[in-house]
Amino acid sequence: MIKLLLKFNGAIVKELDIEKQEVFLGRKSDNDLVIDNPAVSGKHCRVYCQGNSYFVEDLNSTNGTFLRERRISSEPLHHRDELAIAKHTVEFYNDEEAPERKKINPSPVSSDATVVMAAPPPAPTASSRVGHLRILAGSKADPYPLTQLTTYIGKSEQALVKLKGLFAPDLAACVAKKVDGYYLTALKDKTVKLNGDNLMDQAQVPLKEGDLLDVGNLKLMFFLQETIQ
């Protein structure tokens, strides 16, 4: 899987699967990855494939594209590289770019030696607590499991939790799954409340079990549920 992850203040706000030879990033709506920030140029940069490798090229942007704290014109991209574009970060994710495995030469075994093959121990049963969102009123839908890196709430096709209504935003909020827990980010000002308090646009806050979310016309509850893997 090859994708770009658009981040703001550490939270993933958009994801773009790279399914063609080149994708464009910029402020204008005709870009593949739109970055809504006045400091971002209309056509800011592009990510493209050449052979089996990926590259980033700055398109003469006003404020520049930065890789490893250095302004670049064109550079190769590798798994987990991060581009700095204005106040946003774009992470290049390529799990096909696996590190080479080191070859290990086994020690020779004498023909006179007796080899005892021990049965492998049973695989441990791993358990984890997965975050969920449950609609509290007006719906009998099952809870939404938060298994993706980022789960969106809105009326766009990208959103898992759907909002209804003519004036509902395409993306109102998102929940990011991190190592240390789940974090809620408001993507549209004045449309998201957490436990009755308004969240400012792009504000990111950790979620605790039992937290209540008001997003558009939905009231949701965040909870953790034990799962066996």
Side-chain angles (χ1 to χ4, degrees), residues 78-168:
H78 300 288
H79 182 50
R80 297 291 191 182
D81 272 348
E82 291 189 338
L83 304 172
I85 300 177
K87 294 184 178 180
H88 289 76
T89 301
V90 178
E91 180 181 337
F92 176 71
Y93 186 93
N94 182 4
D95 60 3
E96 297 176 6
E97 191 180 48
E100 294 185 4
R101 297 181 179 178
K102 295 182 180 179
K103 295 182 179 180
I104 301 176
N105 295 321
S107 300
V109 178
S110 170
S111 59
D112 296 330
T114 301
V115 179
V116 178
M117 300 297 291
T125 301
S127 62
S128 61
R129 302 184 77 197
V130 175
H132 289 70
L133 289 177
R134 183 192 301 277
I135 298 177
L136 295 182
S139 174
K140 296 182 179 179
D142 292 334
Y144 296 94
L146 305 174
T147 56
Q148 301 297 316
L149 288 175
T150 309
T151 300
Y152 294 97
I153 305 172
K155 69 176 183 180
S156 77
E157 293 182 359
Q158 192 177 1
L160 174 67
V161 184
K162 299 292 186 183
L163 296 179
K164 297 180 180 180
L166 181 63
F167 300 105

Side-chain angles (χ1 to χ4, degrees), residues 127-132 134 143 145 182 209 222-228:
S127 62
S128 61
R129 302 184 77 197
V130 175
H132 289 70
R134 183 192 301 277
Y182 293 84
E209 189 157 18
F222 172 78
F223 68 96
L224 296 167
Q225 182 170 299
E226 197 81 18
T227 61
I228 302 298

Side-chain angles (χ1 to χ4, degrees), residues 12 21 34-35 59 66 71-72 83 89 91 102 114 131 151-152 156 159 167 170 184 188 201 206 216 228:
I12 300 174
Q21 289 296 109
V34 177
I35 306 176
L59 300 177
F66 292 81
R71 186 166 182 165
I72 58 96
L83 304 172
T89 301
E91 180 181 337
K102 295 182 180 179
T114 301
T151 300
Y152 294 97
S156 77
F167 300 105
D170 288 339
L184 173 68
K188 192 71 175 177
D201 189 17
I228 302 298

